[in-house]
């Protein structure tokens, strides 16, 4: 499973509050800003990322503590889940502000792994990406990488435009499958245009760009919501057509290919239904016809060595209940070493039914 931990404490700290002399009124306004901002980001993340992450764990406001974060990171790792961490709020040099007066420094971050190993010897977090909108969070990138994060993003100075950078980044990284480095660049460029029009100074916009460090990761899996459909071209000459679709056991999908979509095995032209095997034919999946469109499940995307042993014949029409969670790979059913003389492609429409 692939999950997201949202660690969020807005606090409602904005500069204009200092102009309010009445302490009670100032606290009331600050509390209101805090609640509105946190509700907005929690709702936005849930709506935007629903169906892409298997679960979004919301550690907002009172739940935004080091103890809760550590417990959740341990729980996710022990369950075998890969997880990303989205941190929203405020910060200072080498410091993130959590709930109340609690902070998390660079040393505190490094100690998360120490504390986890005190409870579970030899533990290594399944932490993939850490995205921080907090001011000065770029000073913490090395700390996250030191405890196992593959990629970390943060702003070295004051972040004057956290939104829409956050929204644009996760739209590109999660939904459109851009690499983390490309998604970061694209989210800044798009946000820069908006904030330029709104009059934010050039220096403030440049200061708001997040720095990224670590591996150039990809989300790797596109998760369809119920009723959503996509199309993929499946090439006859490619033994592994990685669709980047992440299917979860228990879901149901409908596959359709037009009857007039044709591909060839040498000079033998056929549609996705394939043709009856000859005496010398040895397709990789012998229970299906030659050149029939076949689906398989792999444990990893873009890795042909991770076949999970699950296959199903598609042909031109198929309803399939997913029996094992993984990535969908499709191919024309030919011998593994005989794809070189194949040509053409078919287009398969894939729709999630439930």
């Amino acid at each position: 499973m692939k999950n997201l931990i949202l660690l969020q404490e807005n606090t409602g700290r904005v500069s204009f509050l200092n102009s309010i002399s009445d302490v009670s009124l100032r606290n009331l306004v600050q509390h209101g800003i805090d609640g509105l901002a946190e509700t907005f980001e929690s709702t936005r993340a849930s709506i935007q990322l629903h169906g892409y992450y298997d679960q979004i764990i919301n550690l907002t406001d009172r739940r935004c503590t080091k103890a809760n974060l550590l417990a959740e990171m341990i729980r996710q790792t022990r369950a075998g889940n890969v997880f990303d961490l989205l941190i929203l709020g405020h910060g200072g040099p080498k410091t993130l502000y959590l709930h109340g007066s609690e902070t998390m420094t660079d040393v505190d971050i490094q100690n998360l792994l120490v504390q986890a190993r005190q409870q579970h010897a030899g533990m290594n977090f399944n932490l993939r990406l850490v995205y921080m909108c907090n001011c000065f969070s770029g000073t913490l990138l090395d700390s996250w990488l030191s405890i196992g994060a593959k990629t970390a993003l943060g702003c070295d100075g004051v972040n004057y435009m956290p939104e829409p950078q956050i929204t644009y980044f996760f739209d590109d990284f999660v939904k459109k499958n851009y690499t983390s480095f490309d998604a970061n660049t694209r989210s800044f460029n798009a946000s820069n245009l908006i904030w330029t029009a709104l009059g934010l100074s050039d220096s403030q916009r440049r200061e708001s760009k997040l720095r990224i460090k670590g591996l150039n990761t990809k989300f790797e899996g596109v998760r369809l919501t119920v009723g959503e459909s996509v199309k993929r071209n499946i090439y006859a000459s490619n033994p592994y057509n990685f669709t980047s679709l992440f299917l979860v056991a228990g879901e149901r999908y409908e596959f359709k290919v037009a009857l007039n979509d044709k591909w060839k095995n040498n000079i033998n032209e056929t549609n996705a239904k394939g043709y009856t095997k000859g005496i010398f034919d040895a397709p990789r999946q012998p229970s299906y016809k030659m050149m029939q469109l076949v689906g398989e499940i792999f444990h990893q995307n873009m890795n042909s060595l991770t076949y999970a042993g699950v296959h199903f014949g598609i042909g031109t029409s198929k309803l399939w209940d997913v029996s094992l969670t993984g990535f969908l790979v499709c191919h024309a059913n030919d011998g593994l070493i005989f794809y070189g003389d194949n040509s053409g492609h078919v287009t398969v429409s894939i729709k999630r039914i439930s």
Side-chain angles (χ1 to χ4, degrees):
M1 296 179 68
K2 191 181 282 113
N3 295 336
L4 176 72
I5 299 174
L6 172 60
L7 185 71
Q8 178 182 211
E9 174 54 271
N10 182 272
T11 74
R13 300 178 187 181
V14 288
S15 58
F16 81 82
L17 289 174
N18 297 326
S19 64
I20 302 177
S21 57
D22 187 299
V23 175
S24 297
L25 178 59
R26 184 165 65 241
N27 290 340
L28 180 64
V29 173
Q30 180 173 338
H31 181 73
I33 293 172
D34 180 31
L36 284 172
E38 291 172 353
T39 300
F40 168 77
E41 286 296 347
S42 297
T43 304
R44 181 203 58 76
S46 297
I47 293 173
Q48 181 188 23
L49 303 175
H50 173 71
Y52 291 88
Y53 286 101
D54 295 285
Q55 185 182 8
I56 298 176
I57 298 94
N58 193 351
L59 302 181
T60 291
D61 201 58
R62 294 181 181 276
R63 297 185 296 277
C64 182
T65 66
K66 285 181 287 190
N68 285 343
L69 176 61
L70 174 62
E72 194 58 49
M73 291 174 71
I74 291 174
R75 187 175 77 86
Q76 293 296 324
T77 299
R78 295 196 72 199
N81 301 329
V82 173
F83 61 95
D84 295 336
L85 177 58
L86 172 57
I87 305 176
L88 307 178
H90 299 275
K94 295 190 175 181
T95 305
L96 297 173
Y97 300 144
L98 306 181
H99 183 69
S101 59
E102 187 177 11
T103 61
M104 186 159 61
T105 67
D106 55 339
V107 175
D108 291 327
I109 293 171
Q110 293 160 22
N111 281 340
L112 289 172
L113 185 58
V114 174
Q115 294 171 61
R117 287 176 173 172
Q118 288 172 349
Q119 299 179 42
H120 306 280
M123 172 169 281
N124 291 303
F125 291 132
N126 292 343
L127 175 59
R128 184 180 56 174
L129 178 136
V130 179
Y131 184 106
M132 298 172 284
C133 84
N134 318 62
C135 297
F136 305 103
S137 53
T139 60
L140 297 170
L141 300 185
D142 288 333
S143 297
W144 290 112
L145 295 176
S146 73
I147 65 168
K150 305 299 184 294
T151 311
L153 300 87
C155 178
D156 286 332
V158 176
N159 190 349
Y160 293 95
M161 50 184 206
E163 285 289 6
Q165 280 195 97
I166 300 167
T167 299
Y168 281 137
F169 176 84
F170 280 91
D171 196 58
D172 281 343
F173 179 65
V174 174
K175 291 186 173 182
K176 298 177 182 176
N177 216 29
Y178 281 94
T179 67
S180 53
F181 279 69
D182 286 344
N184 185 45
T185 299
R186 286 169 56 87
S187 63
F188 172 76
N189 289 343
S191 302
N192 190 41
L193 290 174
I194 294 172
W195 281 100
T196 298
L198 292 174
L200 192 67
S201 72
D202 179 65
S203 61
Q204 289 174 320
R205 285 184 277 111
R206 283 189 283 107
E207 187 175 354
S208 301
K209 185 174 184 178
L210 272 63
R211 183 162 59 91
I212 185 168
K213 215 172 171 184
L215 299 178
N216 193 15
T217 50
K218 291 191 77 173
F219 188 78
E220 292 188 336
V222 177
R223 182 95 181 274
L224 298 184
T225 56
V226 175
E228 185 178 7
S229 63
V230 296
K231 291 183 178 180
R232 293 288 189 267
N233 291 331
I234 310 300
Y235 293 88
S237 60
N238 191 345
Y240 303 99
N241 289 270
F242 284 90
T243 67
S244 290
L245 292 177
F246 188 68
L247 312 186
V248 174
E251 296 174 346
R252 170 172 280 196
Y253 288 82
E254 179 184 57
F255 299 81
K256 288 185 177 180
V257 180
L259 289 171
N260 58 359
D261 262 11
K262 302 290 181 68
W263 50 19
K264 286 184 177 180
N265 178 3
N266 198 346
I267 62 172
N268 297 314
E269 186 178 63
T270 182
N271 61 20
K273 288 185 176 181
Y275 57 88
T276 302
K277 293 176 287 186
I279 190 171
F280 297 111
D281 290 326
R284 60 202 271 190
Q285 295 294 356
S287 53
Y288 310 120
K289 291 182 177 180
M290 282 292 295
M291 297 299 289
Q292 182 178 346
L293 177 61
V294 172
E296 295 179 336
I297 297 298
F298 280 60
H299 290 301
Q300 296 177 20
N301 195 32
M302 307 307 290
N303 187 343
S304 61
L305 300 179
T306 62
Y307 174 51
V310 172
H311 56 82
F312 58 102
I314 297 173
T316 57
S317 181
K318 178 72 174 182
L319 274 176
W320 187 61
D321 295 315
V322 182
S323 59
L324 181 70
T325 298
F327 295 94
L328 174 66
V329 177
C330 294
H331 63 80
N333 196 32
D334 197 2
L336 265 176
I337 62 174
F338 297 115
Y339 280 85
D341 63 351
N342 293 351
S343 61
H345 73 272
V346 300
T347 301
V348 58
S349 174
I350 305 166
K351 181 178 181 179
R352 183 178 167 189
I353 303 300
S354 64

